[in-house]
Structures are given as structure tokens and as C-alpha cells.
Amino acid sequence: MAKSLRMFNFLNMKVGALYEVIITSIDDRGRPHAAPMGVRIVGDSAFLMKSYGETRTLSNLKALGRGVLNVVDEVEPFFYCIFEQSKLSFDWSTELPVLRGAVAWSPFNLLEASKKGDYYEVSCSITSVHVKRGKPKPLCRAESSLLESLIHYTRLRYYEDLGLKEEVSKLKSLILQHLDIVERTGWPRLKSLAKKLKKKLH
Ligand SMILES: Cc1cc2nc3c(=O)[nH]c(=O)nc-3n(C[C@H](O)[C@H](O)[C@H](O)COP(=O)(O)O)c2cc1C
């Protein structure tokens, strides 16, 4: 277990970026609940979530004041959360449910949940970090989107040379969509690379 001023370093999470994690919580009957959520790192131990409506996660967190941020490095658990909850299992070695299969996890406290238009902004603070194996590789959509935009960019010249204007314009809009994801979810270095790529489109 690590406790330090910069706890998110141990989870390999960078300030400013949005990571896809699985939040586990306990419902009013004591049952574990797991839901994929995007968490934006905003400080050494602070993160923000957006809850679109009164999700079960939000009501559980409001009731108990605590939950667990589970870092997974595979996409399958997200699928199971949405479609096949029976495939998920939990470790109850602490008083909170930890997702089995998580590569790292952090218990957190709910600080505040405030309504902002169509979502609740949920402000939380992790209290410790537990790394099960290796260096965690949390999932951030900015990485796959930057990769996608690079792949599409390298195909642009090919279609331009063939004079396929419709394909060129489709590719450009696809690239812009991916760059937008980098802008919304990436950390500063990735965002600056995305800006460079965007300039090359004109
Ligand atoms: C990768 C991924 C990220 C998600 N991020 C969020 C999120 O940030 N906020 C949110 O309200 N729902 C998000 N969702 C949808 C919720 O996980 C899903 O609607 C869930 O069933 C609602 O939460 P609940 O089960 O706690 O009610 C996400 C889904 C996926 C697959």
C-alpha cells in the first residue's frame, strides 16, 4: 500500500487526463455494484466524475460516502459491467468491494456531488493506492484516438493521389473526431501532439 502526496503517480495516472475505470460501491442492501466511469485527475489525490443522472453508483456513494476506483487494463470488464454482471466477482478483504481482475485499486471518499445542467459533478478523493501487479496501465481513450488519427492521416495522401475527394473528406472528419477525443481526454503532452496533427490537415 502506498500513501504519498502524489498518490495518482502510483496508479500511473496523469493530472488533467480522463481515465476509464470501474467504480465499485455498495448498495442499500449491502450488495456490491460495479459501473464503468470516466474519472478526471485534478490533483494529487482528487478526481472528478460526471454522473449522467442519478446513477446507482451516485446514490450508493451518497449513502455510504465511499467507494473504490478499480484500474483495469483490459476492455472485457467494461463489457461485463454493462451486459454480463454475473461474470464479475469481488474481493471483500477490506470493508469495500474490490473488483477481482483489477490491476490496482484505490478506496475513495465522496467529497461533493453537485448538479450541473444534465449531469452531476462528483468530486472525490482517494485515500490510498494498492497495486496488485506490475506498473498499472490505466485506459485512456486519448491514446487509442491519437493512434487512430495517425493511421487515418497516413491514408490521406493515398486517397488524395487517387483523386477520391469523398474518401478524403470522410477521413478528415474521422481524424477530427478522434482529435476531439484526444482534446477532451488526454494529458497535456498528448493534446499538444493532437494540435500538431490538426495543423497538418490544412
Ligand atoms: C467505458 C465507459 C465509461 C462510462 N463513463 C460514464 C461516466 O463517466 N458517467 C456516467 O454517468 N456513465 C458512464 N458510463 C455509463 C455507465 O457505466 C452505465 O450507464 C451504468 O450502467 C450507469 O451506472 P449505474 O449502474 O451506477 O447506474 C460509462 C460506460 C462505459 C462503458
Side-chain angles (χ1 to χ4, degrees), residues 2-37:
K3 258 185 180 266
S4 108
L5 283 177
R6 311 194 69 187
M7 282 194 281
F8 278 117
N9 280 355
F10 293 96
L11 291 178
N12 202 13
M13 287 176 156
K14 298 174 182 69
V15 171
L18 184 86
Y19 293 95
E20 306 306 325
V21 302
I22 293 178
I23 299 293
T24 45
S25 56
I26 305 178
D27 73 12
D28 54 4
R29 291 168 64 186
R31 294 172 306 190
H33 178 67
M37 291 281 164

Side-chain angles (χ1 to χ4, degrees), residues 5-165:
L5 283 177
R6 311 194 69 187
M7 282 194 281
F8 278 117
N9 280 355
F10 293 96
L11 291 178
N12 202 13
M13 287 176 156
K14 298 174 182 69
V15 171
L18 184 86
Y19 293 95
E20 306 306 325
V21 302
I22 293 178
I23 299 293
T24 45
S25 56
I26 305 178
D27 73 12
D28 54 4
R29 291 168 64 186
R31 294 172 306 190
H33 178 67
M37 291 281 164
V39 297
R40 189 174 300 281
I41 312 308
V42 292
D44 297 332
S45 62
F47 70 91
L48 294 176
M49 275 190 290
K50 283 182 180 176
S51 172
Y52 290 94
E54 281 273 355
T55 55
R56 288 166 66 191
T57 298
L58 179 58
S59 18
N60 293 348
L61 293 178
K62 277 189 190 166
L64 196 68
R66 289 181 304 156
V68 178
L69 181 163
N70 298 271
V71 175
V72 291
D73 57 6
E74 297 172 325
V75 178
E76 287 91 330
F78 294 100
F79 185 94
Y80 298 148
C81 282
I82 304 294
F83 295 117
E84 296 174 18
Q85 284 259 341
S86 63
K87 286 219 164 73
L88 302 174
S89 59
F90 303 91
D91 182 346
W92 284 94
S93 55
T94 68
E95 73 280 16
L96 290 165
V98 174
L99 189 74
R100 282 216 173 100
V103 292
W105 58 279
S106 280
F108 65 84
N109 292 327
L110 171 72
L111 302 179
E112 199 186 348
S114 47
K115 189 136 176 51
K116 306 240 167 165
D118 62 341
Y119 65 89
Y120 289 86
E121 184 177 77
V122 186
S123 163
C124 305
S125 179
I126 58 171
T127 53
S128 59
V129 173
H130 306 255
V131 177
K132 284 195 198 160
R133 52 189 146 93
K135 190 177 180 185
K137 182 77 184 85
L139 296 177
C140 175
R141 292 160 69 204
E143 290 178 280
S144 46
S145 276
L146 186 56
L147 198 58
E148 286 289 327
S149 49
L150 282 169
I151 292 170
H152 295 318
Y153 180 81
T154 58
R155 291 167 60 206
L156 262 184
R157 174 65 61 81
Y158 175 69
Y159 285 120
E160 275 167 356
D161 288 350
L162 290 175
L164 297 172
K165 285 188 183 155

Side-chain angles (χ1 to χ4, degrees), residues 144-153 155-156 159 166-182 184 197-198 201:
S144 46
S145 276
L146 186 56
L147 198 58
E148 286 289 327
S149 49
L150 282 169
I151 292 170
H152 295 318
Y153 180 81
R155 291 167 60 206
L156 262 184
Y159 285 120
E166 204 176 313
E167 291 303 323
V168 168
S169 114
K170 268 192 213 160
L171 269 185
K172 280 189 177 173
S173 82
L174 207 50
I175 293 170
L176 289 173
Q177 278 176 36
H178 280 292
L179 292 181
D180 181 56
I181 293 176
V182 181
R184 287 187 284 116
L197 206 161
K198 195 171 183 177
L201 284 183

